[in-house]
Coordinates of all heavy atoms in Angstrom, one line a residue:
N96 N 0.8 -1.2 0.0 CA 0.0 0.0 0.0 C 0.9 1.3 0.0 O 0.3 2.3 0.1 CB -0.9 0.0 1.1 CG -2.0 -1.2 1.2 OD1 -2.4 -1.6 0.0 ND2 -2.3 -1.6 2.3
Y97 N 2.2 1.2 0.0 CA 3.1 2.3 0.0 C 2.9 3.2 -1.2 O 2.8 2.7 -2.4 CB 4.5 1.8 0.1 CG 5.5 3.0 0.3 CD1 5.7 3.7 1.4 CD2 6.4 3.3 -0.8 CE1 6.6 4.7 1.6 CE2 7.2 4.5 -0.7 CZ 7.4 5.0 0.5 OH 8.2 6.1 0.7
R98 N 2.9 4.5 -1.0 CA 2.9 5.4 -2.0 C 4.0 6.4 -1.8 O 4.5 6.6 -0.7 CB 1.6 6.3 -2.1 CG 0.4 5.3 -2.5 CD -0.9 6.2 -2.6 NE -2.0 5.3 -3.1 CZ -2.3 5.3 -4.4 NH1 -1.7 5.9 -5.3 NH2 -3.3 4.5 -4.7
D99 N 4.5 7.1 -2.9 CA 5.6 8.1 -2.8 C 5.1 9.2 -1.9 O 4.0 9.3 -1.5 CB 5.9 8.6 -4.2 CG 5.0 9.6 -4.9 OD1 3.8 9.4 -4.5 OD2 5.4 10.4 -5.6
K100 N 6.0 10.1 -1.6 CA 5.7 11.3 -0.7 C 4.6 12.1 -1.2 O 3.9 12.6 -0.4 CB 6.9 12.1 -0.5 CG 8.1 11.5 0.2 CD 9.2 12.4 0.4 CE 9.8 12.8 -0.9 NZ 10.9 13.7 -0.7
S101 N 4.4 12.2 -2.5 CA 3.3 13.1 -3.0 C 1.9 12.4 -2.8 O 0.8 13.0 -2.9 CB 3.5 13.4 -4.5 OG 3.3 12.2 -5.3
G102 N 1.9 10.9 -2.6 CA 0.7 10.3 -2.6 C 0.2 9.8 -3.8 O -0.9 9.2 -4.0
K103 N 0.8 10.2 -5.0 CA 0.2 10.0 -6.3 C 0.7 8.7 -6.9 O 0.0 8.0 -7.5 CB 0.7 11.1 -7.2 CG 0.1 12.5 -6.8 CD 0.5 13.5 -7.8 CE -0.1 14.9 -7.3 NZ 0.5 16.0 -8.2
L104 N 1.9 8.2 -6.6 CA 2.4 7.0 -7.2 C 2.4 5.8 -6.2 O 3.0 5.9 -5.1 CB 4.0 7.3 -7.6 CG 4.3 8.3 -8.6 CD1 5.8 8.4 -8.8 CD2 3.6 7.9 -10.0
K105 N 1.8 4.8 -6.6 CA 1.7 3.7 -5.8 C 2.8 2.7 -6.3 O 3.3 2.9 -7.5 CB 0.4 2.9 -5.9 CG 0.0 2.4 -7.2 CD -1.5 1.8 -7.2 CE -1.9 1.3 -8.5 NZ -3.2 0.7 -8.6
M106 N 3.2 1.7 -5.6 CA 4.2 0.8 -6.0 C 3.5 -0.6 -6.4 O 2.6 -1.0 -5.8 CB 5.1 0.5 -4.7 CG 5.8 1.7 -4.2 SD 6.8 2.6 -5.4 CE 6.0 4.2 -5.3
K107 N 4.1 -1.2 -7.4 CA 3.6 -2.4 -8.0 C 3.7 -3.6 -7.1 O 3.0 -4.5 -7.0 CB 4.1 -2.6 -9.4 CG 3.5 -3.9 -10.0 CD 3.9 -4.0 -11.4 CE 3.6 -5.4 -12.1 NZ 2.3 -5.8 -12.1
N108 N 4.9 -3.6 -6.3 CA 5.3 -4.7 -5.5 C 6.3 -4.3 -4.4 O 6.5 -3.1 -4.4 CB 5.8 -5.8 -6.3 CG 7.1 -5.3 -7.3 OD1 7.8 -4.3 -6.8 ND2 7.2 -6.0 -8.4
L109 N 6.6 -5.2 -3.6 CA 7.5 -4.9 -2.5 C 8.9 -4.4 -3.0 O 9.5 -3.5 -2.4 CB 7.6 -6.1 -1.5 CG 8.6 -5.9 -0.3 CD1 8.0 -4.8 0.6 CD2 8.7 -7.2 0.4
R110 N 9.4 -5.0 -4.1 CA 10.6 -4.5 -4.6 C 10.7 -3.0 -4.9 O 11.6 -2.3 -4.7 CB 11.0 -5.3 -5.8 CG 12.2 -4.9 -6.5 CD 12.5 -6.0 -7.7 NE 13.5 -5.5 -8.7 CZ 14.8 -5.5 -8.5 NH1 15.3 -5.9 -7.3 NH2 15.6 -5.0 -9.4
A111 N 9.5 -2.7 -5.6 CA 9.4 -1.2 -5.9 C 9.4 -0.3 -4.6 O 10.0 0.7 -4.6 CB 8.2 -1.0 -6.7
E112 N 8.7 -0.9 -3.6 CA 8.6 -0.1 -2.4 C 10.0 0.1 -1.7 O 10.3 1.2 -1.2 CB 7.6 -0.8 -1.3 CG 7.6 -0.1 0.0 CD 6.7 -0.8 0.9 OE1 5.9 -1.7 0.6 OE2 6.7 -0.4 2.1
I113 N 10.7 -1.0 -1.7 CA 12.1 -0.9 -1.0 C 12.9 0.1 -1.8 O 13.7 0.9 -1.2 CB 12.7 -2.3 -0.9 CG1 11.9 -3.1 0.0 CG2 14.2 -2.3 -0.6 CD1 12.2 -4.7 0.0
H114 N 12.9 0.0 -3.1 CA 13.8 0.9 -3.8 C 13.2 2.5 -3.6 O 13.9 3.4 -3.5 CB 13.5 0.7 -5.3 CG 14.5 -0.5 -5.7 ND1 14.4 -1.7 -5.6 CD2 15.7 -0.4 -6.4 CE1 15.3 -2.5 -6.1 NE2 16.2 -1.6 -6.6
W115 N 11.9 2.7 -3.7 CA 11.3 3.9 -3.5 C 11.6 4.6 -2.1 O 11.8 5.7 -1.9 CB 9.9 4.0 -3.8 CG 9.6 5.3 -4.6 CD1 9.1 6.4 -4.1 CD2 9.8 5.6 -6.1 NE1 9.0 7.4 -5.0 CE2 9.3 6.8 -6.2 CE3 10.3 4.9 -7.0 CZ2 9.4 7.5 -7.4 CZ3 10.3 5.5 -8.3 CH2 9.9 6.8 -8.5
R116 N 11.4 3.7 -1.1 CA 11.8 4.2 0.3 C 13.2 4.7 0.3 O 13.5 5.7 1.0 CB 11.5 3.1 1.3 CG 10.1 2.8 1.6 CD 9.8 1.9 2.7 NE 8.5 1.6 2.9 CZ 7.7 2.2 3.8 NH1 8.2 3.2 4.4 NH2 6.4 2.0 3.9
M117 N 14.1 4.0 -0.3 CA 15.6 4.4 -0.3 C 15.6 5.7 -1.0 O 16.3 6.7 -0.6 CB 16.4 3.4 -1.0 CG 17.9 3.6 -0.8 SD 18.4 3.2 0.9 CE 19.7 4.4 1.1
R118 N 14.9 5.8 -2.2 CA 15.0 7.2 -2.9 C 14.4 8.3 -2.1 O 15.0 9.5 -2.0 CB 14.0 7.0 -4.1 CG 13.9 8.3 -5.0 CD 12.9 7.9 -6.1 NE 12.4 9.1 -6.7 CZ 12.6 9.4 -8.0 NH1 13.2 8.5 -8.7 NH2 12.2 10.5 -8.5
D119 N 13.3 8.1 -1.3 CA 12.7 9.0 -0.4 C 13.7 9.4 0.7 O 13.9 10.6 1.1 CB 11.4 8.6 0.2 CG 10.2 8.6 -0.8 OD1 10.4 9.3 -1.9 OD2 9.2 8.0 -0.6
A120 N 14.4 8.4 1.3 CA 15.3 8.6 2.4 C 16.5 9.4 2.0 O 17.1 10.2 2.8 CB 15.8 7.3 3.0
L121 N 16.8 9.3 0.7 CA 18.0 10.1 0.2 C 17.6 11.5 -0.4 O 18.6 12.2 -0.6 CB 18.7 9.3 -0.8 CG 19.4 8.1 -0.3 CD1 20.0 7.2 -1.4 CD2 20.6 8.4 0.8
D122 N 16.4 11.9 -0.3 CA 15.9 13.1 -0.8 C 16.5 14.3 0.1 O 16.1 14.3 1.3 CB 14.4 13.2 -0.9 CG 13.8 14.4 -1.5 OD1 14.7 15.4 -1.6 OD2 12.7 14.5 -1.7
P123 N 17.2 15.2 -0.4 CA 17.8 16.3 0.5 C 16.8 17.1 1.1 O 17.0 17.7 2.2 CB 18.6 17.1 -0.5 CG 18.9 16.3 -1.7 CD 17.7 15.3 -1.8
A124 N 15.7 17.2 0.6 CA 14.6 18.0 1.1 C 14.0 17.4 2.4 O 13.3 18.0 3.2 CB 13.4 18.2 0.1
E125 N 14.3 16.1 2.7 CA 13.8 15.5 3.9 C 14.6 15.7 5.1 O 14.3 15.3 6.2 CB 13.6 14.0 3.6 CG 12.6 13.5 2.7 CD 11.3 14.1 3.2 OE1 10.9 13.7 4.2 OE2 10.5 14.7 2.3
N126 N 15.8 16.3 4.9 CA 16.8 16.6 6.0 C 17.1 15.3 6.8 O 17.1 15.3 8.0 CB 16.2 17.6 7.0 CG 16.0 19.0 6.3 OD1 16.9 19.4 5.6 ND2 15.0 19.8 6.7
S127 N 17.2 14.3 6.0 CA 17.6 12.9 6.6 C 18.9 12.8 7.1 O 19.8 13.5 6.8 CB 17.4 11.8 5.5 OG 17.8 10.7 6.0
T128 N 19.0 12.0 8.2 CA 20.3 11.9 8.8 C 21.0 10.6 8.3 O 22.1 10.2 8.7 CB 20.2 11.6 10.4 OG1 19.3 10.6 10.6 CG2 19.6 12.9 11.0
L129 N 20.4 10.1 7.2 CA 21.0 8.8 6.6 C 22.4 9.2 6.1 O 22.5 10.1 5.2 CB 20.1 8.3 5.6 CG 20.5 7.1 4.8 CD1 20.5 5.9 5.7 CD2 19.5 6.9 3.7
A130 N 23.3 8.4 6.2 CA 24.7 8.6 5.8 C 25.1 7.3 5.0 O 25.0 6.2 5.5 CB 25.6 8.9 6.8
L131 N 25.6 7.5 3.8 CA 26.1 6.4 3.0 C 27.6 6.4 2.9 O 28.3 7.4 3.0 CB 25.5 6.4 1.6 CG 24.0 6.3 1.4 CD1 23.6 6.6 -0.1 CD2 23.6 4.9 1.9
P132 N 28.3 5.2 2.8 CA 29.7 5.1 2.7 C 30.1 5.9 1.4 O 29.4 5.8 0.4 CB 30.0 3.6 2.6 CG 28.9 2.9 2.4 CD 27.7 3.9 2.8
N133 N 31.3 6.5 1.4 CA 31.9 7.0 0.2 C 32.5 6.0 -0.6 O 33.7 5.8 -0.5 CB 32.8 8.2 0.6 CG 33.4 9.0 -0.6 OD1 32.8 8.9 -1.7 ND2 34.4 9.8 -0.4
D134 N 31.7 5.3 -1.4 CA 32.1 4.1 -2.1 C 31.5 4.1 -3.5 O 30.2 4.2 -3.7 CB 31.6 2.9 -1.4 CG 32.2 1.6 -2.0 OD1 32.3 1.6 -3.2 OD2 32.3 0.6 -1.3
P135 N 32.3 4.2 -4.6 CA 31.8 4.2 -6.0 C 30.8 3.0 -6.3 O 29.9 3.2 -7.0 CB 33.0 4.1 -6.9 CG 34.2 4.4 -6.0 CD 33.8 4.2 -4.5
E136 N 31.1 1.8 -5.6 CA 30.2 0.7 -5.9 C 28.8 0.9 -5.3 O 27.8 0.6 -5.9 CB 30.9 -0.5 -5.3 CG 30.0 -1.8 -5.6 CD 30.6 -3.1 -5.0 OE1 31.6 -3.0 -4.2 OE2 30.2 -4.2 -5.4
V137 N 28.8 1.5 -4.1 CA 27.5 1.8 -3.5 C 26.7 2.7 -4.3 O 25.5 2.6 -4.7 CB 27.6 2.4 -2.1 CG1 26.3 2.9 -1.5 CG2 28.2 1.3 -1.2
L138 N 27.4 3.8 -4.8 CA 26.7 4.8 -5.6 C 26.2 4.2 -6.9 O 25.1 4.5 -7.4 CB 27.7 6.0 -5.9 CG 27.3 7.1 -6.9 CD1 26.0 7.8 -6.3 CD2 28.3 8.1 -7.1
A139 N 27.0 3.4 -7.6 CA 26.6 2.7 -8.8 C 25.5 1.9 -8.6 O 24.6 1.8 -9.4 CB 27.8 2.0 -9.4
D140 N 25.4 1.1 -7.5 CA 24.3 0.1 -7.3 C 23.1 0.8 -7.0 O 22.0 0.3 -7.4 CB 24.7 -0.8 -6.0 CG 25.7 -1.8 -6.3 OD1 26.3 -1.9 -7.5 OD2 26.1 -2.6 -5.4
L141 N 23.1 1.9 -6.3 CA 21.9 2.6 -6.0 C 21.4 3.3 -7.2 O 20.2 3.7 -7.3 CB 22.2 3.6 -4.8 CG 22.3 2.9 -3.4 CD1 22.7 3.9 -2.4 CD2 21.2 2.0 -3.1
C142 N 22.2 3.7 -8.1 CA 21.8 4.6 -9.2 C 21.4 3.6 -10.5 O 20.9 4.2 -11.4 CB 22.9 5.5 -9.7 SG 23.1 6.8 -8.5
A143 N 21.8 2.4 -10.4 CA 21.7 1.6 -11.5 C 20.2 1.2 -12.0 O 19.9 1.2 -13.1 CB 22.4 0.2 -11.4
P144 N 19.3 0.9 -10.9 CA 17.9 0.4 -11.4 C 17.2 1.5 -12.1 O 17.2 2.6 -11.7 CB 17.3 0.1 -10.0 CG 18.5 -0.1 -9.1 CD 19.5 0.8 -9.6
R145 N 16.6 1.1 -13.2 CA 15.6 1.9 -13.9 C 14.2 1.6 -13.5 O 14.0 0.4 -13.0 CB 15.9 1.6 -15.4 CG 17.3 2.0 -15.9 CD 17.5 1.8 -17.3 NE 18.8 2.3 -17.8 CZ 19.3 2.0 -18.9 NH1 18.7 1.2 -19.7 NH2 20.5 2.3 -19.1
Y146 N 13.4 2.5 -13.7 CA 11.9 2.2 -13.3 C 11.1 2.9 -14.4 O 11.4 3.6 -15.2 CB 11.6 2.8 -11.9 CG 11.6 4.3 -11.9 CD1 10.4 5.0 -12.1 CD2 12.8 5.1 -11.7 CE1 10.4 6.3 -12.0 CE2 12.7 6.4 -11.6 CZ 11.5 7.2 -11.8 OH 11.5 8.4 -11.8
K147 N 9.8 2.3 -14.3 CA 8.7 3.0 -15.2 C 7.5 3.0 -14.4 O 7.2 2.1 -13.5 CB 8.7 2.2 -16.5 CG 8.3 0.7 -16.4 CD 8.2 0.2 -17.8 CE 8.1 -1.3 -17.7 NZ 8.2 -2.0 -19.0
V148 N 6.7 4.0 -14.7 CA 5.4 4.1 -14.1 C 4.4 3.4 -15.0 O 4.2 3.8 -16.2 CB 5.0 5.7 -13.9 CG1 3.7 5.8 -13.1 CG2 6.0 6.3 -12.9
T149 N 3.7 2.5 -14.5 CA 2.6 1.8 -15.2 C 1.3 2.0 -14.4 O 1.3 2.7 -13.4 CB 3.0 0.3 -15.3 OG1 2.7 -0.3 -13.9 CG2 4.3 0.0 -15.6
S150 N 0.3 1.6 -15.1 CA -1.1 1.7 -14.5 C -1.3 0.9 -13.3 O -2.0 1.3 -12.4 CB -2.2 1.2 -15.6 OG -2.1 -0.1 -15.9
A151 N -0.4 -0.1 -13.1 CA -0.4 -1.0 -11.8 C 0.5 -0.3 -10.8 O 0.4 -0.8 -9.7 CB 0.0 -2.3 -12.1
G152 N 1.3 0.7 -11.1 CA 2.2 1.3 -10.2 C 3.6 1.4 -10.7 O 3.9 0.9 -11.7
V153 N 4.6 1.9 -9.8 CA 5.9 2.0 -10.2 C 6.4 0.6 -10.2 O 6.3 -0.3 -9.4 CB 6.7 2.8 -9.2 CG1 8.2 2.7 -9.4 CG2 6.2 4.2 -9.1
L154 N 7.2 0.3 -11.3 CA 7.8 -1.0 -11.6 C 9.3 -0.8 -11.8 O 9.8 0.0 -12.5 CB 7.2 -1.7 -12.9 CG 7.8 -3.0 -13.3 CD1 7.5 -4.1 -12.2 CD2 7.0 -3.5 -14.6
I155 N 10.1 -1.6 -10.9 CA 11.6 -1.5 -10.9 C 12.1 -2.5 -11.9 O 11.7 -3.6 -11.9 CB 12.2 -1.7 -9.5 CG1 11.6 -0.7 -8.6 CG2 13.7 -1.6 -9.6 CD1 11.9 0.8 -8.8
E156 N 13.1 -2.2 -12.6 CA 13.8 -3.1 -13.6 C 14.2 -4.4 -12.8 O 14.6 -4.4 -11.6 CB 15.0 -2.3 -14.1 CG 15.9 -3.1 -15.0 CD 17.2 -2.4 -15.5 OE1 17.6 -1.4 -14.8 OE2 17.7 -2.6 -16.5
E157 N 14.1 -5.5 -13.5 CA 14.5 -6.7 -12.8 C 15.9 -6.8 -12.6 O 16.7 -6.3 -13.4 CB 14.1 -7.9 -13.8 CG 12.6 -8.1 -14.0 CD 11.9 -8.7 -12.8 OE1 12.5 -9.3 -11.9 OE2 10.8 -8.1 -12.4
K158 N 16.3 -7.5 -11.5 CA 17.7 -7.6 -11.1 C 18.5 -8.2 -12.3 O 19.7 -7.8 -12.5 CB 17.8 -8.4 -9.9 CG 19.3 -8.5 -9.3 CD 19.4 -9.1 -8.0 CE 20.8 -9.0 -7.5 NZ 20.8 -9.5 -6.0
L159 N 18.0 -9.2 -12.9 CA 18.8 -9.9 -14.1 C 19.1 -8.9 -15.1 O 20.2 -8.9 -15.7 CB 18.0 -11.1 -14.6 CG 18.7 -11.8 -15.7 CD1 20.0 -12.4 -15.3 CD2 17.8 -12.9 -16.2
E160 N 18.2 -8.0 -15.4 CA 18.5 -6.9 -16.5 C 19.5 -6.0 -16.0 O 20.4 -5.6 -16.8 CB 17.1 -6.2 -16.8 CG 16.0 -7.0 -17.3 CD 14.7 -6.3 -17.5 OE1 14.6 -5.0 -17.1 OE2 13.7 -6.9 -17.7
I161 N 19.5 -5.6 -14.7 CA 20.5 -4.8 -14.2 C 21.9 -5.4 -14.3 O 22.9 -4.8 -14.7 CB 20.2 -4.4 -12.7 CG1 18.9 -3.5 -12.6 CG2 21.4 -3.6 -12.1 CD1 18.4 -3.4 -11.2
K162 N 22.0 -6.7 -13.9 CA 23.2 -7.4 -13.9 C 23.7 -7.4 -15.4 O 24.9 -7.2 -15.5 CB 23.0 -8.8 -13.4 CG 22.7 -9.0 -12.0 CD 22.2 -10.2 -11.5 CE 23.3 -11.2 -11.0 NZ 22.7 -12.5 -10.5
E163 N 22.9 -7.7 -16.3 CA 23.3 -7.7 -17.8 C 23.9 -6.3 -18.1 O 24.9 -6.2 -18.9 CB 22.2 -8.2 -18.6 CG 21.9 -9.7 -18.4 CD 20.6 -10.1 -19.2 OE1 20.0 -9.3 -19.9 OE2 20.2 -11.3 -19.2
R164 N 23.2 -5.3 -17.8 CA 23.5 -3.9 -18.2 C 24.8 -3.5 -17.6 O 25.6 -2.9 -18.2 CB 22.4 -3.1 -17.9 CG 22.4 -1.7 -18.5 CD 21.2 -0.9 -18.6 NE 20.3 -1.1 -17.3 CZ 20.6 -0.4 -16.2 NH1 21.6 0.4 -16.1 NH2 19.8 -0.5 -15.2
I165 N 25.0 -3.8 -16.2 CA 26.2 -3.1 -15.5 C 27.3 -4.2 -15.4 O 28.4 -3.8 -15.0 CB 25.9 -2.5 -14.2 CG1 25.5 -3.6 -13.2 CG2 24.9 -1.4 -14.4 CD1 25.3 -3.0 -11.8
G166 N 27.1 -5.4 -15.7 CA 28.1 -6.5 -15.7 C 28.4 -7.2 -14.4 O 29.4 -7.8 -14.2
R167 N 27.6 -6.9 -13.4 CA 27.7 -7.5 -12.1 C 26.4 -7.3 -11.3 O 25.5 -6.6 -11.8 CB 28.9 -6.8 -11.3 CG 28.6 -5.3 -11.1 CD 29.8 -4.6 -10.3 NE 29.5 -3.3 -10.1 CZ 28.6 -2.8 -9.1 NH1 27.9 -3.7 -8.5 NH2 28.4 -1.5 -9.1
S168 N 26.4 -7.9 -10.2 CA 25.2 -7.7 -9.4 C 25.2 -6.6 -8.5 O 26.3 -6.3 -7.9 CB 25.1 -9.1 -8.5 OG 24.0 -9.0 -7.7
P169 N 24.2 -5.9 -8.3 CA 24.1 -4.7 -7.4 C 23.8 -5.2 -5.9 O 23.1 -4.4 -5.2 CB 23.0 -4.0 -8.0 CG 22.0 -5.0 -8.5 CD 22.8 -6.1 -9.1
D170 N 24.4 -6.2 -5.5 CA 24.2 -6.7 -4.1 C 24.5 -5.7 -3.0 O 23.8 -5.7 -2.0 CB 25.0 -7.9 -3.9 CG 24.5 -9.1 -4.7 OD1 23.3 -9.0 -5.2 OD2 25.2 -10.1 -4.9
V171 N 25.5 -5.0 -3.1 CA 25.9 -4.1 -2.0 C 24.8 -3.0 -1.8 O 24.3 -2.8 -0.8 CB 27.3 -3.4 -2.3 CG1 27.6 -2.4 -1.3 CG2 28.3 -4.3 -2.3
G172 N 24.4 -2.4 -3.0 CA 23.3 -1.3 -2.8 C 22.0 -2.0 -2.3 O 21.3 -1.4 -1.6
E173 N 21.7 -3.2 -2.7 CA 20.4 -3.9 -2.3 C 20.5 -4.2 -0.8 O 19.5 -4.0 -0.2 CB 20.2 -5.1 -3.1 CG 19.8 -4.8 -4.5 CD 19.3 -6.1 -5.3 OE1 19.6 -7.2 -4.9 OE2 18.8 -5.9 -6.4
A174 N 21.7 -4.5 -0.3 CA 21.8 -4.7 1.1 C 21.5 -3.4 2.0 O 20.9 -3.4 2.9 CB 23.3 -5.2 1.4
I175 N 22.0 -2.3 1.4 CA 21.7 -1.0 2.1 C 20.3 -0.6 2.0 O 19.7 -0.3 3.0 CB 22.7 0.1 1.4 CG1 24.1 -0.1 1.8 CG2 22.2 1.5 1.8 CD1 25.2 0.7 1.0
M176 N 19.6 -1.0 0.7 CA 18.2 -0.7 0.7 C 17.4 -1.5 1.6 O 16.4 -1.1 2.2 CB 17.7 -0.9 -0.7 CG 18.1 0.3 -1.7 SD 17.4 0.1 -3.4 CE 18.4 -1.2 -4.0
L177 N 17.8 -2.8 1.8 CA 17.1 -3.7 2.7 C 17.2 -3.2 4.1 O 16.3 -3.3 4.9 CB 17.6 -5.1 2.5 CG 17.0 -5.8 1.2 CD1 17.7 -7.2 1.1 CD2 15.6 -6.0 1.3
A178 N 18.4 -2.8 4.4 CA 18.6 -2.3 5.9 C 17.9 -1.1 6.1 O 17.3 -0.9 7.2 CB 20.2 -2.0 6.1
N179 N 17.7 -0.2 5.1 CA 16.9 1.0 5.3 C 15.5 0.5 5.4 O 14.7 1.2 6.2 CB 17.1 2.0 4.0 CG 16.2 3.1 4.1 OD1 16.4 4.0 5.0 ND2 15.2 3.3 3.1
Y180 N 14.9 -0.4 4.7 CA 13.6 -0.8 4.8 C 13.3 -1.4 6.1 O 12.4 -1.1 6.7 CB 13.2 -1.7 3.7 CG 12.0 -2.4 3.6 CD1 10.9 -1.6 3.3 CD2 11.7 -3.6 4.2 CE1 9.5 -2.1 3.3 CE2 10.4 -4.1 4.1 CZ 9.3 -3.3 3.8 OH 8.1 -3.9 3.8
I181 N 14.2 -2.4 6.5 CA 13.9 -3.1 7.8 C 14.0 -2.1 8.9 O 13.3 -2.3 9.9 CB 14.9 -4.2 7.9 CG1 14.6 -5.3 6.9 CG2 14.8 -4.9 9.3 CD1 15.7 -6.4 6.7
G182 N 15.0 -1.2 8.9 CA 15.3 -0.3 10.0 C 14.3 0.9 10.0 O 14.5 1.7 10.9
G183 N 13.5 1.0 9.0 CA 12.7 2.3 8.9 C 11.7 2.3 10.2 O 10.7 1.9 10.0
G184 N 12.2 3.0 11.1 CA 11.3 3.4 12.3 C 11.2 2.1 13.2 O 10.5 2.2 14.2
L185 N 11.9 1.1 13.0 CA 11.8 -0.1 13.9 C 13.2 -0.2 14.8 O 14.2 0.2 14.3 CB 11.7 -1.4 13.0 CG 10.5 -1.5 12.2 CD1 10.7 -2.7 11.4 CD2 9.3 -1.5 13.0
D186 N 13.0 -0.5 16.0 CA 14.1 -0.8 16.9 C 14.7 -2.1 16.8 O 14.3 -3.1 17.6 CB 13.8 -0.4 18.3 CG 13.5 1.1 18.6 OD1 14.2 1.9 17.8 OD2 12.7 1.3 19.3
V187 N 15.4 -2.4 15.7 CA 15.8 -3.8 15.4 C 17.2 -4.1 15.8 O 17.7 -5.2 15.9 CB 15.7 -4.3 13.9 CG1 14.2 -4.2 13.6 CG2 16.5 -3.2 13.1
F188 N 18.0 -3.1 16.3 CA 19.4 -3.3 16.6 C 19.6 -3.0 18.1 O 19.2 -2.2 18.7 CB 20.3 -2.4 15.8 CG 20.3 -2.7 14.4 CD1 19.6 -1.9 13.5 CD2 20.8 -3.8 13.8 CE1 19.6 -2.1 12.1 CE2 20.8 -4.3 12.5 CZ 20.1 -3.3 11.7

């Protein structure tokens, strides 16, 4: 049921939600305290996925397509996105 900050875009699936929550968390307008490591691999992984808006909601490019396009798996960026999703407002640590 997640929607973007404007409330206009819904997400097609959990994958899209996880990516979009990361996007929202990194928005400078949010004054977030989120800090990322200064690592070119992290930057590349987080910037690699492409998306499109469909009638069913935001759809993120499949991981296999990303791997084929960039020549490796974006696992480091995905780990950071998952940590952001799991830790979002939860006291898990």
Side-chain angles (χ1 to χ4, degrees):
N96 295 328
Y97 182 76
R98 291 184 176 266
D99 74 328
K100 291 184 299 184
S101 73
K103 295 177 184 177
L104 295 176
K105 64 181 178 175
M106 304 298 125
K107 181 168 172 57
N108 52 30
L109 181 59
R110 178 175 164 75
E112 178 181 345
I113 291 169
H114 278 78
W115 216 265
R116 284 184 184 271
M117 190 75 211
R118 178 185 167 119
D119 286 347
L121 292 172
D122 183 349
E125 292 300 306
N126 295 321
S127 173
T128 58
L129 181 66
L131 295 174
N133 185 12
D134 182 334
E136 183 179 17
V137 170
L138 179 61
D140 287 0
L141 294 177
C142 292
R145 295 177 179 166
Y146 70 92
K147 59 184 167 184
V148 179
T149 69
S150 59
V153 173
L154 179 63
I155 303 295
E156 175 183 28
E157 293 293 327
K158 185 172 183 175
L159 182 58
E160 295 172 10
I161 297 169
K162 289 166 97 173
E163 289 174 359
R164 193 165 37 79
I165 69 173
R167 61 179 181 76
S168 181
D170 289 341
V171 174
E173 286 185 351
I175 291 171
M176 286 189 283
L177 285 171
N179 178 64
Y180 177 75
I181 292 169
L185 302 174
D186 295 325
V187 293
F188 297 106

